Amino acid sequence: MRFFGPALLALSIAAAPVALAQGQQARGDATYTSDLVTRWGKGVTPDNVWQSYPRPQLQRREWRNLNGLWDYAITAPAVARPQKMDGQILVPFPVESRLSRVARKLTPDQRLWYRRSFTIPANWAGQRIMLNFGAVDYASQVMVNGAPVGGHKGGSDPFGFDITDYLKPGDNEVMVQVADPTSAGTQPRGKQSLDPSGIWYTASSGIWQTVWIEPVPKLHIADVRATADIDRGVVEVDVALSNWAGDTDAVRLTASSKGKVIASTILRGNRHATLAIPDAHHWSPDDPFLYDLKAELISVRDPYAGQPERDRKAYDARFTLAETQRYAAAQPEGAVRDSVDSYFAMRKISVGQGPVRGQPVLLLNNKPLFHNGTLDQGWWPDGLLTPPSEEAMKSDLVFLMKAGFNMVRKHIKVEPARYYYDADRLGMMIWQDMPSGGGEDQFVAGTSQGQAIFPSSTMADHVDELGRMVGALRAFPSIVLWVVNNEGWGQFDSATLSKYVKGMDPSRLVNANSGWMDVAPGVSDVFDIHTYEDKPNVPARHADRAIVLGEYGGVGLPVKGHLWKPGKTLWSYQVAGGDGDYLSRYRVKMEEVVRQAKLHGLSAAVYTQTSDVEDEINGLLTYDRAQSKAKAEDLAKIAAPLWDAMP
């Protein structure tokens, strides 16, 4: 999304009174929260807030949700521990948000503290206890019963700590200290700003995704990575344990469909397996079929027992076909030690021949499929970075599918894992952006001839977060493409970063640069332009990659009673004169997209955007999702010719 341009228009709406967030007192550090509350936000309580298991691709049956009311305080950075807390905050909503019941600013020279007590269920005795966080923005230190248990830096990825050795009988106390420089720093943060305006939004600091505890054995399953290969009819599965495995530590994998076992095998811990999926049912937006996958940590009889030179034979067999075969035939002993439920899809995303000679297109399951998407910021007027509920989050996807979209570009924000879980089941393809970082002078312009310069430590932090994002999300089949850089915002060495992502996850496509500087033609799978003209410009043809409109559209329509800050200048690329004009402008743009798909081999188009966001009014939905600016059925009819553009 561009900062400025000839298509940008602005307008003002009459002012309306602004209500304070629930429990907020008038004070100098209060954030602006607006009157807007979503219908889901109105129903949020400490007892029902975000209750779903937060890690659907690695799910355990035993767990306890720690969302709800915590004590909080904001202090100077040198305070070792607050002597007095300032009040209560509703976790997992950012401290700046209305739904947090706090709505206070956190500055870079302050620290945000959280505190609550919890008990461990009696039937968890003898197990290790993990304390998990879905996401905390940005740098956090975690203490249990006054002792530091670990720290984390990064605002968008999950993390956790084994807190067993810090626990005591009865009540236990957890404290979390958070620092967040937001737009004063160079860390990845997306569109958060300490001075929100235009396309920059209110900062979201602190805990903003679910917190939970769960029991695990000392050696447990840490990661299950399933990658489908529809051409060979198999799914490749890596199972990583929490530590190194002994010769009798094994994992039993079982793939099933609607309760029927499709394939099963036993593998040594920390190893790879290939499961045959005969007559595979392919996943697509029209048919989002998923297979269940269970991983169980078990003990097996020593596969090398009684062998001459037993230790040497076992050592030499490591990571060989002989080892794979020996463990597949191993005999289980005793009870299951750990069990996680997961799932996978048999689907393939690639680039190949399309209907226009010489111009490759995006393929799904080896067939051309146009990606008709929206730019999706994922912001909410009451929860900011945190959706008010999973139902609210899912409602955006449902609306978009009814409106003729089959893809969402998740714009420089990482969502809670339940979002991708819902997309997997609904059949919505996702282009996942890496949240951008950098300072004002490190935002590369469209006319720039070089990329941004950062200290080595800053680059290392960015690469680390990029890798953790890919690692945390690559299990979700709905994600079909990674977007490494957006419009040069903090862009550095994008060719190397794209190779890194491609190396981590060769099963998906990579968009090195969405808009502006195209500096990785030999690495990026797509050539991506942003065009907010009345009729979108045509991307130049490329013989070795697909061409896409990474952003277009931007038709604004203010809806009275559904504006973030009435009386303030609003932001859009164009402003429609009413409902009819709005739909007419949308039709003109979409008809040009259809023309480009048919005549030029365009593979994808990303319309700006799903909903209004704060000052922006160019959404298909109002910011509170209470009203659509055009009927979903009308939007779908306009997009329908796209599906005739490819065989």
Side-chain angles (χ1 to χ4, degrees):
M1 182 172 289
R2 289 186 272 188
F3 296 98
F4 52 82
L8 171 61
L9 298 176
L11 69 162
S12 297
I13 302 295
V18 176
L20 294 174
Q22 182 179 357
Q24 176 190 344
Q25 299 178 355
R27 55 191 305 161
D29 62 355
T31 57
Y32 178 83
T33 58
S34 180
D35 300 12
L36 291 184
V37 179
T38 65
R39 63 182 183 273
W40 304 278
K42 292 176 182 177
V44 170
T45 71
D47 294 325
N48 69 15
V49 58
W50 279 94
Q51 293 299 300
S52 298
Y53 188 85
R55 195 181 55 217
Q57 273 285 13
L58 197 72
Q59 183 161 341
R60 290 186 172 88
R61 293 182 181 179
E62 288 285 337
W63 71 294
R64 175 164 290 187
N65 196 323
L66 296 187
N67 291 340
L69 290 174
W70 293 45
D71 299 325
Y72 91 96
I74 296 177
T75 71
V79 173
R81 179 186 173 99
Q83 296 299 309
K84 179 182 178 183
M85 305 303 279
D86 295 344
Q88 290 191 310
I89 184 170
L90 185 57
V91 170
F93 296 105
V95 67
E96 296 91 346
S97 71
R98 181 188 186 104
L99 284 176
S100 73
R101 305 187 177 195
V102 176
R104 288 177 62 184
K105 297 176 183 177
L106 181 71
T107 63
D109 59 351
Q110 292 177 322
R111 298 295 179 264
L112 171 62
W113 293 82
Y114 295 83
R115 183 184 69 191
R116 70 157 289 166
S117 62
F118 64 96
T119 58
I120 302 300
N123 64 340
W124 291 8
Q127 301 183 78
R128 308 298 293 182
I129 307 301
M130 295 294 299
L131 171 62
N132 300 308
F133 296 83
V136 180
D137 195 5
Y138 169 67
S140 56
Q141 296 290 329
V142 179
M143 290 146 281
V144 172
N145 294 324
V149 300
H152 179 77
K153 186 164 62 173
S156 299
D157 61 294
F159 62 97
F161 304 107
D162 183 338
I163 61 171
T164 312
D165 296 337
Y166 305 90
L167 297 173
K168 62 183 181 181
D171 288 342
N172 292 271
E173 178 194 74
V174 57
M175 291 196 75
V176 183
Q177 183 204 61
V178 180
D180 186 11
T182 312
S183 52
T186 58
Q187 81 289 349
R189 62 186 177 278
K191 286 196 169 187
Q192 298 183 64
S193 175
L194 293 167
D195 185 23
S197 180
I199 66 168
W200 306 108
Y201 314 144
T202 304
S204 293
S205 303
I207 298 172
W208 68 278
Q209 291 188 31
T210 293
V211 186
W212 78 102
I213 53 175
E214 63 184 348
V216 296
K218 186 173 183 179
L219 181 68
H220 57 271
I221 298 169
D223 205 354
V224 177
R225 299 187 288 269
T227 304
D229 186 335
I230 68 168
D231 297 327
R232 294 167 50 223
V234 302
V235 60
E236 306 285 1
V237 185
D238 295 327
V239 182
L241 303 182
S242 58
N243 208 327
W244 59 269
D247 290 331
T248 60
D249 297 320
V251 174
R252 180 166 55 211
L253 285 176
T254 305
S256 60
S257 172
K258 299 179 180 179
K260 179 182 177 182
V261 174
I262 303 298
S264 183
T265 192
I266 295 174
L267 58 151
R268 193 184 194 276
N270 294 321
R271 291 298 190 267
H272 174 87
T274 301
L275 298 178
I277 309 296
D279 303 316
H281 192 153
H282 294 169
W283 183 98
S284 71
D286 291 332
D287 186 11
F289 187 86
L290 298 170
Y291 289 88
D292 295 318
L293 182 65
K294 180 182 286 292
E296 298 169 297
L297 178 62
I298 61 175
S299 298
V300 295
R301 190 176 304 164
D302 183 356
Y304 300 97
Q307 294 288 315
E309 298 184 324
R310 183 254 175 237
D311 292 346
R312 169 53 59 184
K313 185 163 290 187
Y315 184 87
D316 289 343
R318 290 182 178 184
F319 299 98
T320 66
L321 178 60
E323 181 186 60
T324 300
Q325 294 171 338
R326 192 171 288 273
Y327 275 86
Q331 296 299 309
E333 292 186 327
V336 173
R337 296 153 58 188
D338 188 23
S339 178
V340 297
D341 292 321
S342 187
Y343 63 89
F344 65 94
M346 295 299 289
R347 71 103 181 91
K348 175 185 177 182
I349 182 72
S350 58
V351 174
Q353 182 58 48
V356 176
R357 184 176 180 181
Q359 178 54 68
V361 297
L362 300 177
L363 306 178
L364 182 67
N365 302 329
N366 297 321
K367 297 179 181 179
L369 178 65
F370 193 91
H371 293 207
N372 185 34
T374 61
L375 197 70
D376 195 280
Q377 315 284 358
W379 288 72
W380 299 82
D382 39 16
L384 300 179
L385 213 59
T386 307
S389 69
E390 182 177 0
E391 181 187 359
M393 190 170 62
K394 185 178 179 180
S395 74
D396 279 358
L397 296 174
V398 171
F399 168 80
L400 291 174
M401 297 192 78
K402 289 180 179 178
F405 296 96
N406 63 3
M407 177 266 283
V408 161
R409 180 183 167 199
K410 183 48 62 177
H411 193 39
I412 53 178
K413 181 203 174 184
V414 177
E415 291 287 0
R418 301 293 303 190
Y419 178 88
Y420 306 96
Y421 170 89
D422 290 328
D424 291 342
R425 278 154 177 73
L426 290 171
M428 180 65 85
M429 296 184 293
I430 305 293
W431 289 15
Q432 179 61 52
D433 287 16
M434 171 64 186
S436 57
E440 178 59 37
D441 75 319
Q442 292 152 332
F443 288 177
V444 177
T447 53
S448 298
Q449 297 176 320
Q451 300 181 79
I453 303 298
F454 289 97
S456 295
S457 58
T458 301
M459 292 190 293
D461 286 344
H462 185 94
V463 172
D464 187 32
E465 286 201 53
L466 175 62
R468 283 188 270 121
M469 180 190 77
V470 173
L473 299 182
R474 63 182 165 188
F476 295 101
S478 54
I479 299 176
V480 296
L481 180 144
W482 303 109
V483 180
V484 177
N485 291 291
N486 176 72
E487 289 190 352
W489 298 357
Q491 177 181 327
F492 71 94
D493 203 1
S494 66
T496 298
L497 294 182
S498 298
K499 291 177 184 176
Y500 172 59
V501 171
K502 199 73 168 178
M504 279 192 71
D505 183 15
S507 71
R508 289 182 176 85
L509 303 180
V510 172
N511 184 349
N513 308 106
S514 183
W516 299 5
M517 287 193 72
D518 177 37
V519 295
V523 180
S524 187
D525 292 303
V526 299
F527 174 68
D528 179 328
I529 71 167
H530 294 182
T531 168
Y532 284 103
E533 288 69 23
D534 288 344
K535 285 189 176 182
N537 292 331
V538 182
R541 289 198 180 189
H542 285 260
D544 58 349
R545 51 183 171 159
I547 57 173
V548 304
L549 303 181
E551 294 182 24
Y552 81 104
V555 179
L557 180 65
V559 180
K560 190 174 181 180
H562 300 279
L563 298 173
W564 170 250
K565 186 179 284 188
K568 184 178 179 182
T569 298
L570 303 175
W571 202 100
S572 185
Y573 290 101
Q574 305 168 22
V575 178
D579 294 349
D581 186 37
Y582 181 87
L583 194 61
S584 177
R585 288 171 182 264
Y586 181 87
R587 180 180 287 106
V588 167
K589 293 177 183 292
M590 183 57 72
E591 287 177 348
E592 174 60 16
V593 169
V594 173
R595 188 191 73 83
Q596 291 186 27
K598 291 183 176 180
L599 298 183
H600 298 278
L602 184 74
S603 275
V606 181
Y607 182 84
T608 300
Q609 59 191 351
T610 301
S611 74
D612 294 348
V613 184
E614 299 199 355
D615 294 345
E616 293 185 39
I617 55 164
N618 47 22
L620 296 169
L621 298 166
T622 56
Y623 194 16
D624 56 4
R625 276 67 163 186
Q627 186 171 325
S628 60
K629 300 177 188 179
K631 293 181 179 179
E633 295 77 9
D634 292 340
L635 297 172
K637 288 178 182 178
I638 294 172
L642 275 172
W643 318 123
D644 301 325
M646 293 182 178

